[in-house]
Amino acid sequence: MSDSRAANDGEITHEGGTVNDGDSANDGTVNDGGAAHDGRAAVSEVVNVGREQVHVVEEGPADGPPLLLSSGLGGAWFDWRPSADLLRDRNRVIAFDRPGLGLSPAAIAAPTLRREADVLAALAERAGRPVIAVAHSMAGFHAEALARLRPDLVRGLVLVDPSYEPHPHELVRFAAAATPLATAAGVLLGATRLARVLGPIGRRAVLKHTSRRDEPVPDVVVRSVYGRGTVLGTVIAEDLAYREQAVDLARLRERRPFPAVPLIVLTALGDVKGEAKRREWSEGHARLARMTPYGSQVDLPDARHMVQLDRPDAVADAVAEVLRAEETV
């Protein structure tokens, strides 16, 4: 999550597009606030991915290299807005919201590593050719799982300050059983309108500590997302599932090799306290980069966790480097 402002009732319009404020996902075509490109604005729609539905925002030339952008825990498509602005001239940029997040409808299944990899796979298949997966934080788990399970769909990865768990463990698996409770909590918050207050406050608090900049889209767009009870319930469910997904990824690593594709890991150090902690975080990311002989890791001392907001240039440079490296693989 990140930042927001006061809630607003009713339907809202922004630069010619329409989104629904409150607790209903958008089911039409909207403009997310991005500037027009190639004669058209960014196209936003809800698409089917297996049993689930997800909100997708796509822009850039249709014949450009497809990039699949996946946000961290509780994130939304507009977390990528500054990075997409730098990427869309030459690339087909596809940002999406996981089920229950952003403007996506509520999820059918609980958030598991396999579900997230399946969603990514369906979106990559929809793109029509292998993608470069660009994943932030917890979504790094999902992108790596996709590469191991469906290497045919991946031409490279950029992991943006990804989650890293050197020794993941679990005592009891309870996330699936707890997800209905998280969902019910979200429904209650939405019904009582508390979501419209608590969601924006939570987003603002998180963004304050994870980025040096403010929201990349107007307040009304942020409220249309974090004022939804569905989103708050999904954030709780994802947080509960985090440890289990880390364990499942560790087990997947034992069974499925990482493909020989370019990989760049961006490491944010601007909000890591203490030299020992910074060194530990950087070394962990260096281990991820060594999953492939075509991997590299880049320290960003001036960036906080939301690298795609603080250093969109670093994200764009990493994508360009993956494309260059791909020519030599």
Side-chain angles (χ1 to χ4, degrees), residues 143-227:
E144 182 184 339
L146 173 69
R148 292 179 182 275
L149 291 168
R150 293 294 308 274
D152 58 305
L153 296 177
V154 176
R155 60 193 293 184
L157 280 81
V158 175
L159 301 182
V160 182
D161 207 36
S163 297
Y164 175 73
E165 297 293 336
H167 306 292
H169 64 279
E170 58 183 353
L171 297 177
V172 179
R173 295 183 74 91
F174 61 88
T179 293
L181 297 177
T183 300
V187 171
L188 179 62
L189 289 170
T192 60
R193 292 183 172 267
L194 283 174
R196 298 194 177 197
V197 177
L198 298 179
I201 290 175
R203 170 76 178 185
R204 184 183 306 122
V206 171
L207 191 63
K208 179 179 179 181
H209 292 94
T210 58
S211 176
R212 301 184 187 280
R213 61 174 293 169
D214 200 356
E215 293 287 5
V217 293
D219 298 348
V220 70
V221 177
V222 180
R223 290 196 303 269
S224 72
V225 168
Y226 291 101

Side-chain angles (χ1 to χ4, degrees), residues 225-284:
V225 168
Y226 291 101
R228 295 177 60 207
T230 295
V231 168
L232 300 191
T234 302
V235 171
I236 297 170
E238 284 201 338
D239 191 42
L240 292 171
Y242 175 89
R243 185 66 58 183
E244 293 179 12
Q245 291 190 24
V247 170
D248 289 344
L249 180 59
R251 293 171 178 167
L252 180 62
R253 286 168 176 163
E254 296 173 356
R255 305 194 313 271
R256 298 291 187 94
F258 192 87
V261 296
L263 163 65
I264 296 181
V265 183
L266 301 179
T267 303
L269 298 175
D271 50 3
V272 181
K273 305 299 183 183
E275 185 58 35
K277 289 289 186 181
R278 285 192 287 271
R279 184 168 54 252
E280 179 183 4
W281 191 237
S282 181
E283 290 174 352

Side-chain angles (χ1 to χ4, degrees), residues 23 25 27 42 85 97-98 129 141 157 169 213-214 235 239 259 270 283 294 308 316 321:
D23 198 33
D27 60 0
D85 286 344
D97 298 319
R98 285 189 296 279
R129 50 201 173 108
F141 291 166
L157 280 81
H169 64 279
R213 61 174 293 169
D214 200 356
V235 171
D239 191 42
E283 290 174 352
Y294 307 103
Q308 63 270 54
E321 181 59 32

Side-chain angles (χ1 to χ4, degrees), residues 34-178:
H37 177 65
D38 284 352
R40 64 177 178 85
V43 175
S44 172
E45 60 183 338
V46 172
V47 303
N48 294 322
V49 285
R51 297 173 59 205
E52 306 288 352
Q53 290 185 306
V54 296
H55 170 239
V56 176
V57 175
E58 184 172 334
E59 55 193 310
D63 59 350
L67 313 179
L68 186 54
L69 278 51
S70 185
S71 299
L73 194 155
W77 85 94
F78 53 73
D79 290 338
W80 297 100
R81 183 72 267 150
S83 297
D85 286 344
L86 298 179
L87 291 166
R88 64 186 178 185
D89 283 342
R90 297 182 178 180
N91 304 284
R92 180 181 173 191
V93 181
I94 307 165
F96 77 101
D97 298 319
R98 285 189 296 279
L101 294 178
L103 293 179
S104 290
I108 301 299
T112 64
L113 185 69
R114 187 61 197 230
R115 188 201 77 174
E116 309 306 353
D118 286 345
V119 167
L120 287 174
L123 290 170
E125 289 175 340
R126 179 176 176 268
R129 50 201 173 108
V131 302
I132 295 176
V134 185
H136 174 242
S137 194
M138 182 182 180
F141 291 166
H142 314 153
E144 182 184 339
L146 173 69
R148 292 179 182 275
L149 291 168
R150 293 294 308 274
D152 58 305
L153 296 177
V154 176
R155 60 193 293 184
L157 280 81
V158 175
L159 301 182
V160 182
D161 207 36
S163 297
Y164 175 73
E165 297 293 336
H167 306 292
H169 64 279
E170 58 183 353
L171 297 177
V172 179
R173 295 183 74 91
F174 61 88

